[in-house]
Coordinates of all heavy atoms in Angstrom, one line a residue:
M1 N 10.6 41.5 43.2 CA 11.6 42.3 42.5 C 12.1 43.5 43.3 O 11.4 44.5 43.3 CB 11.0 42.8 41.1 CG 12.1 43.2 40.2 SD 11.4 43.3 38.5 CE 10.5 44.9 38.6
A2 N 13.1 43.3 44.1 CA 13.6 44.4 44.9 C 14.6 45.2 44.1 O 15.8 44.7 43.9 CB 14.2 43.8 46.2
K3 N 14.2 46.3 43.7 CA 15.1 47.2 42.9 C 15.5 48.4 43.7 O 14.6 49.2 44.1 CB 14.4 47.6 41.6 CG 15.4 47.9 40.5 CD 14.6 48.1 39.2 CE 15.4 48.5 38.1 NZ 14.6 48.8 36.9
A4 N 16.8 48.5 44.0 CA 17.2 49.7 44.8 C 17.4 50.8 43.8 O 18.4 50.9 43.1 CB 18.5 49.4 45.5
N5 N 16.4 51.6 43.8 CA 16.4 52.7 42.8 C 17.1 53.9 43.4 O 16.9 54.3 44.5 CB 15.0 53.1 42.4 CG 14.4 52.2 41.3 OD1 15.1 51.7 40.5 ND2 13.1 52.1 41.4
T6 N 18.0 54.5 42.6 CA 18.7 55.7 43.0 C 18.4 56.7 41.9 O 18.4 56.4 40.7 CB 20.2 55.5 43.2 OG1 20.7 54.9 42.0 CG2 20.5 54.7 44.4
V7 N 18.2 57.9 42.4 CA 17.9 59.0 41.4 C 19.0 60.1 41.7 O 19.4 60.3 42.9 CB 16.5 59.5 41.5 CG1 16.2 60.3 42.8 CG2 16.1 60.3 40.3
F8 N 19.4 60.8 40.7 CA 20.3 61.8 40.9 C 19.6 63.2 40.8 O 19.0 63.5 39.8 CB 21.5 61.7 39.8 CG 22.2 60.4 40.0 CD1 21.9 59.3 39.3 CD2 23.3 60.4 40.9 CE1 22.6 58.1 39.4 CE2 24.0 59.2 41.1 CZ 23.7 58.1 40.4
V9 N 19.8 63.9 41.8 CA 19.0 65.2 41.9 C 20.0 66.4 41.9 O 21.1 66.3 42.5 CB 18.2 65.2 43.2 CG1 17.2 66.4 43.2 CG2 17.3 63.9 43.3
C10 N 19.6 67.4 41.3 CA 20.4 68.6 41.3 C 20.0 69.4 42.5 O 18.9 69.7 42.8 CB 20.1 69.4 40.0 SG 20.8 71.1 40.1
S11 N 21.0 69.7 43.3 CA 20.8 70.5 44.5 C 20.5 72.0 44.3 O 20.0 72.7 45.1 CB 22.1 70.4 45.4 OG 23.2 71.0 44.7
N12 N 20.7 72.4 43.1 CA 20.4 73.8 42.7 C 18.9 74.0 42.3 O 18.2 74.8 42.8 CB 21.3 74.2 41.6 CG 21.2 75.7 41.3 OD1 21.2 76.5 42.2 ND2 21.1 76.1 40.1
C13 N 18.5 73.1 41.3 CA 17.1 73.3 40.8 C 16.2 72.2 41.1 O 15.0 72.2 40.9 CB 17.2 73.6 39.3 SG 17.7 72.2 38.3
G14 N 16.7 71.1 41.6 CA 15.9 69.9 41.9 C 15.6 69.0 40.7 O 14.8 68.1 40.8
N15 N 16.4 69.2 39.7 CA 16.2 68.4 38.5 C 16.6 66.9 38.8 O 17.6 66.7 39.4 CB 17.0 68.9 37.3 CG 17.0 68.0 36.1 OD1 15.9 67.7 35.6 ND2 18.1 67.7 35.6
E16 N 15.7 66.0 38.4 CA 16.0 64.6 38.7 C 16.5 63.9 37.4 O 15.9 64.1 36.3 CB 14.8 63.9 39.2 CG 14.5 64.3 40.6 CD 13.3 63.5 41.2 OE1 12.9 62.5 40.6 OE2 12.7 64.0 42.2
S17 N 17.5 63.1 37.6 CA 18.0 62.3 36.4 C 18.3 60.9 36.9 O 18.7 60.6 38.0 CB 19.2 62.9 35.9 OG 19.7 62.1 34.8
S18 N 18.1 59.9 36.0 CA 18.4 58.5 36.3 C 19.9 58.3 36.3 O 20.4 57.3 36.8 CB 17.6 57.6 35.4 OG 17.9 57.9 34.1
K19 N 20.6 59.2 35.6 CA 22.0 59.0 35.5 C 22.7 60.2 36.2 O 22.2 61.3 36.3 CB 22.4 59.0 34.0 CG 22.1 57.7 33.3 CD 22.4 57.8 31.8 CE 22.1 56.5 31.1 NZ 22.3 56.6 29.7
W20 N 23.9 59.9 36.6 CA 24.7 60.9 37.3 C 25.1 62.0 36.2 O 25.4 61.7 35.1 CB 26.0 60.3 37.9 CG 26.7 61.2 38.8 CD1 26.5 61.5 40.1 CD2 27.8 62.1 38.3 NE1 27.4 62.4 40.5 CE2 28.2 62.8 39.5 CE3 28.5 62.3 37.1 CZ2 29.2 63.8 39.4 CZ3 29.5 63.2 37.1 CH2 29.9 64.0 38.2
F21 N 25.1 63.2 36.6 CA 25.5 64.2 35.7 C 26.5 65.2 36.4 O 26.4 65.5 37.6 CB 24.3 65.0 35.2 CG 23.4 65.5 36.3 CD1 23.6 66.8 36.9 CD2 22.3 64.8 36.7 CE1 22.8 67.2 37.9 CE2 21.4 65.2 37.6 CZ 21.7 66.5 38.3
G22 N 27.5 65.6 35.7 CA 28.5 66.5 36.2 C 28.0 68.0 36.1 O 28.3 68.8 36.9
R23 N 27.2 68.1 35.1 CA 26.6 69.5 34.9 C 25.1 69.3 34.7 O 24.7 68.5 33.9 CB 27.2 70.1 33.6 CG 26.9 71.5 33.5 CD 27.4 72.0 32.1 NE 27.1 73.4 31.9 CZ 27.3 74.0 30.7 NH1 27.8 73.3 29.7 NH2 27.0 75.3 30.5
C24 N 24.4 70.0 35.5 CA 22.9 69.8 35.4 C 22.4 70.3 34.0 O 22.7 71.4 33.6 CB 22.2 70.7 36.5 SG 20.4 70.6 36.5
P25 N 21.6 69.4 33.4 CA 21.1 69.7 32.1 C 20.0 70.7 32.1 O 19.6 71.3 31.1 CB 20.6 68.3 31.6 CG 20.3 67.5 32.8 CD 21.3 68.0 33.8
A26 N 19.5 71.0 33.3 CA 18.3 71.9 33.4 C 18.8 73.3 33.7 O 18.4 74.3 33.1 CB 17.4 71.4 34.5
C27 N 19.7 73.5 34.7 CA 20.1 74.8 35.1 C 21.6 75.1 34.7 O 22.1 76.1 35.0 CB 19.9 75.0 36.5 SG 20.9 74.0 37.6
N28 N 22.2 74.0 34.2 CA 23.6 74.2 33.7 C 24.6 74.5 34.8 O 25.7 75.1 34.6 CB 23.8 75.2 32.6 CG 23.0 74.8 31.4 OD1 22.9 73.7 31.0 ND2 22.3 75.8 30.7
E29 N 24.3 74.1 36.0 CA 25.2 74.2 37.2 C 26.1 73.0 37.3 O 25.7 71.9 37.0 CB 24.4 74.4 38.5 CG 23.8 75.8 38.7 CD 24.9 76.8 39.0 OE1 25.9 76.5 39.6 OE2 24.7 78.0 38.6
W30 N 27.3 73.3 37.7 CA 28.3 72.2 37.8 C 28.3 71.7 39.2 O 28.1 72.4 40.2 CB 29.7 72.7 37.4 CG 29.9 72.9 35.9 CD1 29.7 74.0 35.2 CD2 30.3 71.9 35.0 NE1 30.0 73.8 33.9 CE2 30.3 72.5 33.7 CE3 30.6 70.5 35.1 CZ2 30.7 71.8 32.6 CZ3 30.9 69.8 33.9 CH2 31.0 70.5 32.7
N31 N 28.6 70.4 39.3 CA 28.7 69.7 40.6 C 27.6 69.9 41.6 O 27.8 70.1 42.8 CB 30.1 70.1 41.2 CG 31.3 69.7 40.3 OD1 31.3 68.6 39.7 ND2 32.2 70.6 40.2
T32 N 26.4 69.9 41.1 CA 25.3 70.1 41.9 C 24.5 68.8 42.1 O 23.5 68.7 42.8 CB 24.3 71.1 41.4 OG1 23.9 70.8 40.0 CG2 24.9 72.5 41.4
C33 N 25.1 67.7 41.4 CA 24.4 66.4 41.4 C 24.6 65.7 42.7 O 25.8 65.5 43.1 CB 24.9 65.6 40.2 SG 24.2 64.0 40.1
Y34 N 23.6 65.2 43.3 CA 23.8 64.3 44.4 C 22.8 63.1 44.3 O 21.7 63.2 43.7 CB 23.6 65.0 45.8 CG 22.1 65.4 46.0 CD1 21.3 64.6 46.8 CD2 21.7 66.7 45.6 CE1 20.0 65.1 47.0 CE2 20.4 67.1 45.8 CZ 19.6 66.3 46.6 OH 18.3 66.7 46.8
E35 N 23.3 62.0 44.9 CA 22.5 60.7 44.7 C 21.4 60.6 45.8 O 21.7 60.9 47.0 CB 23.5 59.5 44.8 CG 22.8 58.2 44.4 CD 23.8 57.1 44.5 OE1 25.0 57.3 44.5 OE2 23.4 55.9 44.6
E36 N 20.3 60.2 45.4 CA 19.2 60.1 46.4 C 18.6 58.7 46.2 O 18.2 58.3 45.0 CB 18.1 61.1 46.1 CG 17.2 61.3 47.3 CD 16.3 62.5 47.2 OE1 15.3 62.4 46.6 OE2 16.7 63.6 47.7
K37 N 18.4 58.0 47.3 CA 17.9 56.6 47.2 C 16.4 56.6 47.3 O 15.8 57.3 48.1 CB 18.5 55.8 48.3 CG 19.9 55.3 48.0 CD 20.2 54.0 48.8 CE 21.5 53.4 48.3 NZ 22.7 54.1 48.8
L38 N 15.8 55.8 46.4 CA 14.4 55.7 46.4 C 14.0 54.3 46.9 O 14.5 53.3 46.5 CB 13.8 55.9 45.0 CG 13.9 57.3 44.4 CD1 13.4 57.3 43.0 CD2 13.2 58.4 45.2
T39 N 13.0 54.3 47.8 CA 12.5 53.0 48.3 C 11.2 52.7 47.5 O 10.2 53.4 47.7 CB 12.2 53.0 49.8 OG1 11.5 54.2 50.1 CG2 13.5 53.0 50.6
S40 N 11.4 51.8 46.6 CA 10.2 51.5 45.8 C 9.1 50.8 46.6 O 9.4 49.8 47.3 CB 10.6 50.6 44.6 OG 11.1 49.3 45.0
K41 N 7.9 51.3 46.5 CA 6.8 50.7 47.2 C 5.8 50.1 46.2 O 4.6 50.1 46.5 CB 6.1 51.7 48.1 CG 7.0 52.0 49.3 CD 6.3 53.1 50.1 CE 7.2 53.5 51.3 NZ 6.6 54.6 52.1
T42 N 6.4 49.6 45.2 CA 5.5 49.0 44.1 C 5.4 47.5 44.4 O 6.0 46.8 43.6 CB 5.9 49.4 42.7 OG1 7.4 49.1 42.7 CG2 5.7 50.8 42.4
N43 N 4.7 47.2 45.4 CA 4.4 45.7 45.6 C 3.3 45.2 44.8 O 2.1 45.6 45.0 CB 4.2 45.5 47.1 CG 5.4 45.8 47.9 OD1 6.6 45.6 47.5 ND2 5.2 46.2 49.2
S44 N 3.5 44.4 43.9 CA 2.5 43.9 43.1 C 1.8 42.7 43.8 O 2.4 41.6 43.9 CB 3.0 43.5 41.7 OG 4.0 42.5 41.8
K45 N 0.6 42.9 44.2 CA -0.1 41.9 44.9 C -1.2 41.3 44.0 O -2.1 40.7 44.5 CB -0.7 42.4 46.2 CG 0.3 42.5 47.3 CD -0.3 43.0 48.6 CE 0.8 43.1 49.7 NZ 0.2 43.7 50.9
S46 N -1.1 41.6 42.8 CA -2.2 41.1 41.9 C -2.0 39.7 41.5 O -2.8 39.1 40.8 CB -2.2 42.0 40.6 OG -0.9 42.0 40.0
G47 N -0.9 39.1 41.9 CA -0.6 37.7 41.5 C -1.4 36.7 42.3 O -1.7 35.6 41.8
T48 N -1.9 37.1 43.5 CA -2.7 36.2 44.2 C -4.2 36.4 44.0 O -4.7 37.4 44.5 CB -2.3 36.2 45.7 OG1 -2.3 37.6 46.1 CG2 -1.0 35.6 46.0
K49 N -4.8 35.6 43.3 CA -6.2 35.7 43.1 C -7.0 34.6 43.7 O -6.6 33.4 43.5 CB -6.5 35.8 41.6 CG -6.5 37.2 41.0 CD -6.8 37.2 39.6 CE -6.7 38.6 39.0 NZ -6.9 38.6 37.5
K50 N -8.0 34.9 44.4 CA -8.8 33.8 45.0 C -9.9 33.5 44.1 O -10.8 34.4 43.8 CB -9.3 34.3 46.4 CG -8.5 33.8 47.6 CD -9.3 34.0 48.9 CE -8.5 33.3 50.0 NZ -9.2 33.6 51.3
V51 N -9.9 32.3 43.7 CA -11.0 31.8 42.8 C -12.0 31.0 43.6 O -11.6 29.9 44.1 CB -10.4 31.1 41.6 CG1 -11.5 30.6 40.7 CG2 -9.4 31.9 40.9
S52 N -13.2 31.4 43.7 CA -14.2 30.7 44.3 C -15.3 30.2 43.3 O -15.7 31.0 42.5 CB -14.8 31.5 45.5 OG -15.4 32.7 44.9
T53 N -15.6 29.0 43.4 CA -16.6 28.5 42.5 C -18.0 28.5 43.1 O -18.1 28.1 44.3 CB -16.3 27.0 42.1 OG1 -16.0 26.3 43.2 CG2 -15.1 27.0 41.1
P54 N -18.9 29.0 42.4 CA -20.3 29.0 42.9 C -20.9 27.7 43.2 O -20.7 26.7 42.4 CB -21.1 29.8 41.8 CG -20.3 29.6 40.6 CD -18.9 29.5 41.0
V55 N -21.6 27.6 44.2 CA -22.2 26.3 44.6 C -23.7 26.5 44.6 O -24.2 27.5 45.1 CB -21.8 25.8 46.0 CG1 -22.4 24.5 46.3 CG2 -20.2 25.6 45.9
K56 N -24.4 25.6 44.0 CA -25.9 25.6 44.0 C -26.4 25.5 45.4 O -25.9 24.8 46.2 CB -26.5 24.5 43.1 CG -26.4 24.8 41.6 CD -27.1 23.7 40.9 CE -26.9 23.8 39.4 NZ -27.3 22.7 38.6
L57 N -27.5 26.3 45.6 CA -28.1 26.3 47.0 C -28.6 24.9 47.4 O -28.5 24.5 48.5 CB -29.2 27.3 47.0 CG -29.6 27.9 48.4 CD1 -28.4 28.6 48.9 CD2 -30.8 28.7 48.3
N58 N -29.1 24.2 46.4 CA -29.5 22.8 46.6 C -28.4 21.9 47.1 O -28.6 21.0 47.9 CB -30.2 22.2 45.4 CG -31.5 22.9 45.1 OD1 -32.1 23.5 46.0 ND2 -32.0 22.8 43.8
D59 N -27.2 22.1 46.5 CA -26.1 21.3 46.9 C -25.6 21.6 48.3 O -25.1 20.7 49.0 CB -24.9 21.5 45.9 CG -25.3 21.0 44.5 OD1 -26.2 20.2 44.4 OD2 -24.7 21.5 43.6
V60 N -25.8 22.8 48.7 CA -25.4 23.2 50.1 C -26.3 22.6 51.1 O -25.9 22.1 52.1 CB -25.4 24.7 50.2 CG1 -25.0 25.2 51.6 CG2 -24.4 25.4 49.2
K61 N -27.6 22.6 50.8 CA -28.6 22.1 51.7 C -28.5 20.6 51.9 O -29.0 20.1 52.9 CB -30.0 22.5 51.3 CG -30.3 23.9 51.7 CD -31.8 24.2 51.3 CE -32.2 25.6 51.8 NZ -33.5 26.0 51.3
K62 N -27.9 19.9 50.9 CA -27.9 18.5 50.9 C -27.0 18.0 52.1 O -27.2 16.9 52.6 CB -27.2 18.0 49.7 CG -28.1 17.0 48.9 CD -27.4 16.5 47.6 CE -28.3 16.6 46.4 NZ -27.7 16.3 45.2
Q63 N -26.1 18.8 52.6 CA -25.2 18.3 53.6 C -26.0 18.1 54.9 O -26.7 18.9 55.4 CB -24.2 19.4 53.9 CG -23.0 19.0 54.7 CD -22.0 20.1 54.9 OE1 -22.3 21.3 54.7 NE2 -20.8 19.7 55.2
D64 N -25.8 16.9 55.4 CA -26.4 16.5 56.6 C -25.6 17.0 57.8 O -24.4 16.9 57.9 CB -26.5 15.0 56.7 CG -27.6 14.4 55.9 OD1 -28.7 15.1 55.7 OD2 -27.5 13.3 55.3
I65 N -26.4 17.6 58.7 CA -25.7 18.1 59.9 C -26.0 17.1 61.1 O -27.1 16.9 61.4 CB -26.3 19.5 60.3 CG1 -26.0 20.5 59.1 CG2 -25.7 20.0 61.6 CD1 -26.7 21.8 59.3
I66 N -24.9 16.6 61.6 CA -25.0 15.7 62.7 C -24.9 16.5 64.0 O -23.9 17.1 64.3 CB -24.0 14.6 62.6 CG1 -24.1 13.8 61.3 CG2 -24.1 13.6 63.8 CD1 -22.8 13.2 60.8
R67 N -26.0 16.4 64.7 CA -26.0 17.1 66.0 C -25.8 16.1 67.2 O -26.4 15.0 67.2 CB -27.3 17.8 66.2 CG -27.4 19.0 65.2 CD -28.6 19.9 65.6 NE -28.7 20.9 64.6 CZ -28.1 22.1 64.5 NH1 -27.2 22.3 65.5 NH2 -28.3 23.0 63.6
T68 N -24.9 16.5 68.0 CA -24.6 15.7 69.2 C -25.3 16.2 70.4 O -25.1 17.4 70.7 CB -23.1 15.6 69.4 OG1 -22.4 15.3 68.2 CG2 -22.7 14.5 70.4
S69 N -26.0 15.4 71.1 CA -26.7 15.9 72.2 C -25.7 16.2 73.3 O -24.7 15.5 73.6 CB -27.7 14.8 72.7 OG -28.3 15.2 73.9
T70 N -26.0 17.3 74.0 CA -25.1 17.7 75.1 C -25.5 17.0 76.4 O -24.7 17.0 77.3 CB -25.2 19.2 75.3 OG1 -26.5 19.6 75.6 CG2 -24.7 20.0 74.1
G71 N -26.6 16.4 76.4 CA -27.1 15.8 77.6 C -28.0 16.7 78.4 O -28.7 16.2 79.3
F72 N -28.0 18.0 78.0 CA -28.9 18.9 78.6 C -30.0 19.3 77.6 O -29.8 19.8 76.6 CB -28.2 20.2 79.0 CG -27.1 19.9 80.0 CD1 -25.8 19.8 79.6 CD2 -27.4 19.8 81.4 CE1 -24.7 19.5 80.5 CE2 -26.3 19.6 82.3 CZ -25.0 19.4 81.9
E73 N -31.2 18.9 78.0 CA -32.3 19.1 77.1 C -32.5 20.6 76.7 O -32.7 20.9 75.6 CB -33.6 18.6 77.7 CG -34.7 18.3 76.7 CD -36.0 17.9 77.4 OE1 -35.9 17.1 78.3 OE2 -37.0 18.4 77.1
E74 N -32.3 21.4 77.7 CA -32.5 22.9 77.5 C -31.4 23.4 76.5 O -31.7 24.2 75.6 CB -32.4 23.6 78.8 CG -32.6 25.1 78.8 CD -34.1 25.5 78.5 OE1 -35.0 24.6 78.7 OE2 -34.3 26.6 78.1
L75 N -30.2 22.9 76.8 CA -29.1 23.4 76.0 C -29.2 22.9 74.5 O -28.9 23.6 73.6 CB -27.7 23.0 76.6 CG -26.5 23.5 76.0 CD1 -26.4 25.0 76.0 CD2 -25.2 23.0 76.7
D76 N -29.6 21.7 74.4 CA -29.8 21.1 73.1 C -30.8 21.9 72.3 O -30.6 22.1 71.1 CB -30.3 19.6 73.2 CG -29.2 18.7 73.6 OD1 -28.0 19.1 73.6 OD2 -29.5 17.5 73.9
R77 N -31.9 22.4 72.9 CA -32.9 23.1 72.3 C -32.3 24.5 71.8 O -32.6 24.9 70.7 CB -34.1 23.3 73.2 CG -35.4 23.6 72.5 CD -36.5 23.4 73.4 NE -36.3 24.2 74.6 CZ -37.2 24.7 75.4 NH1 -38.5 24.5 75.1 NH2 -37.0 25.5 76.4
V78 N -31.5 25.1 72.7 CA -30.9 26.4 72.3 C -30.0 26.2 71.1 O -29.9 27.1 70.2 CB -30.1 26.9 73.5 CG1 -29.3 28.2 73.1 CG2 -31.1 27.3 74.7
L79 N -29.3 25.1 71.1 CA -28.3 24.9 70.0 C -29.0 24.4 68.7 O -28.3 24.2 67.7 CB -27.3 23.9 70.4 CG -26.3 24.3 71.6 CD1 -25.6 23.1 72.1 CD2 -25.4 25.4 71.1
G80 N -30.3 24.1 68.8 CA -31.0 23.7 67.6 C -31.0 22.2 67.5 O -31.1 21.7 66.4
G81 N -30.8 21.5 68.5 CA -30.9 20.0 68.5 C -29.6 19.4 69.1 O -29.5 18.2 69.3
G82 N -28.6 20.2 69.3 CA -27.3 19.6 69.8 C -26.1 20.3 69.2 O -26.2 21.2 68.3
L83 N -25.0 19.9 69.6 CA -23.7 20.4 69.1 C -23.4 19.9 67.7 O -23.6 18.7 67.4 CB -22.6 20.0 70.1 CG -22.5 20.7 71.4 CD1 -21.5 20.0 72.3 CD2 -22.2 22.2 71.3
V84 N -23.0 20.8 66.9 CA -22.6 20.4 65.5 C -21.1 20.2 65.5 O -20.3 21.0 65.9 CB -23.0 21.5 64.5 CG1 -22.6 21.1 63.1 CG2 -24.5 21.8 64.6
K85 N -20.8 19.0 64.9 CA -19.4 18.6 64.8 C -18.6 19.6 63.9 O -19.0 20.0 62.8 CB -19.2 17.2 64.2 CG -17.9 16.6 64.5 CD -17.8 15.2 63.8 CE -16.5 14.6 64.0 NZ -16.3 13.4 63.2
G86 N -17.5 20.1 64.5 CA -16.7 21.1 63.7 C -17.1 22.5 64.0 O -16.4 23.4 63.5
S87 N -18.2 22.7 64.6 CA -18.6 24.1 64.9 C -18.2 24.5 66.3 O -17.9 23.6 67.2 CB -20.1 24.2 64.8 OG -20.8 23.7 65.9
L88 N -18.1 25.8 66.5 CA -17.7 26.3 67.8 C -18.9 27.0 68.4 O -19.5 27.9 67.9 CB -16.5 27.2 67.6 CG -15.9 27.8 68.9 CD1 -15.1 26.7 69.6 CD2 -15.0 29.0 68.6
T89 N -19.2 26.5 69.6 CA -20.3 27.1 70.3 C -19.8 27.7 71.6 O -19.1 27.0 72.4 CB -21.4 26.1 70.6 OG1 -21.7 25.4 69.4 CG2 -22.6 26.7 71.2
L90 N -20.0 29.0 71.8 CA -19.6 29.6 73.0 C -20.8 29.6 74.0 O -21.9 30.1 73.7 CB -19.2 31.1 72.8 CG -17.8 31.2 72.1 CD1 -17.6 32.7 71.7 CD2 -16.7 30.8 73.0
V91 N -20.5 29.0 75.1 CA -21.5 28.9 76.1 C -21.0 29.7 77.3 O -20.0 29.5 77.9 CB -21.8 27.5 76.6 CG1 -22.9 27.5 77.6 CG2 -22.2 26.6 75.4
G92 N -21.8 30.7 77.6 CA -21.3 31.6 78.7 C -22.5 32.2 79.5 O -23.6 32.2 79.0
G93 N -22.2 32.7 80.6 CA -23.2 33.3 81.4 C -22.5 34.1 82.5 O -21.4 33.7 82.9
E94 N -23.2 35.1 82.9 CA -22.6 35.9 84.0 C -23.1 35.4 85.3 O -24.2 35.0 85.5 CB -23.0 37.4 83.8 CG -22.2 38.1 82.7 CD -22.6 39.6 82.7 OE1 -22.6 40.2 83.8 OE2 -23.0 40.0 81.6
P95 N -22.2 35.2 86.2 CA -22.6 34.7 87.5 C -23.5 35.7 88.2 O -23.3 36.9 88.1 CB -21.2 34.6 88.3 CG -20.3 35.5 87.6 CD -20.7 35.6 86.1
G96 N -24.5 35.1 88.8 CA -25.5 35.9 89.5 C -26.7 36.2 88.7 O -27.8 36.4 89.3
I97 N -26.6 36.1 87.4 CA -27.8 36.3 86.6 C -28.5 35.0 86.3 O -27.8 34.1 85.7 CB -27.4 37.0 85.3 CG1 -26.9 38.4 85.6 CG2 -28.7 37.2 84.3 CD1 -26.2 39.1 84.4
R98 N -29.7 34.9 86.6 CA -30.4 33.6 86.4 C -31.8 33.9 86.0 O -32.5 34.7 86.5 CB -30.4 32.9 87.8 CG -30.7 31.4 87.7 CD -29.6 30.6 87.0 NE -29.8 29.2 87.0 CZ -30.4 28.6 85.9 NH1 -30.7 29.3 84.8 NH2 -30.6 27.3 85.9
Ligands
ZN101 ZN1 19.9 72.0 38.1

């Protein structure tokens, strides 16, 4: 809902009105009304709600993890038996450090 809000302000006393006025209702000055644009920052983000359903711990554990051997016994041991499909494993090392 993009609403270009304009407010009419009295240059004499600062009285704000939603309607244009020839004579300020607050200070009774004539021709002090000027238009001022308001940028509405009322973005309603309450519409997007993330609904997550709770999962029993037993159900989570049921999932079998298939580990793929890397071919390196040492690396497999570090990874806990091998690479897990769908997981990302960063293998790195600084040259010179052994
Ligand atoms: Zn005024």
Side-chain angles (χ1 to χ4, degrees):
M1 198 166 76
K3 207 173 173 184
N5 278 329
T6 50
V7 73
F8 297 95
V9 188
C10 171
S11 61
N12 187 50
C13 70
N15 176 53
E16 286 182 17
S17 177
S18 57
K19 285 178 181 176
W20 189 90
F21 51 88
R23 188 186 181 190
C24 178
C27 66
N28 297 321
E29 279 291 324
W30 285 93
N31 299 319
T32 54
C33 177
Y34 68 94
E35 194 179 338
E36 199 169 86
K37 281 203 170 75
L38 293 175
T39 49
S40 66
K41 286 176 181 176
T42 48
N43 293 330
S44 57
K45 282 180 178 175
S46 56
T48 48
K49 270 183 185 174
K50 259 193 176 177
V51 182
S52 56
T53 49
V55 179
K56 279 182 189 173
L57 205 63
N58 288 340
D59 295 338
V60 178
K61 276 183 177 175
K62 237 179 227 175
Q63 193 179 20
D64 283 327
I65 299 169
I66 303 156
R67 294 193 183 272
T68 311
S69 177
T70 57
F72 300 96
E73 201 184 313
E74 182 75 16
L75 188 57
D76 284 351
R77 205 166 50 153
V78 172
L79 295 168
L83 289 166
V84 181
K85 197 182 177 186
S87 77
L88 184 74
T89 308
L90 286 173
V91 182
E94 284 184 53
I97 296 169
R98 197 70 176 95

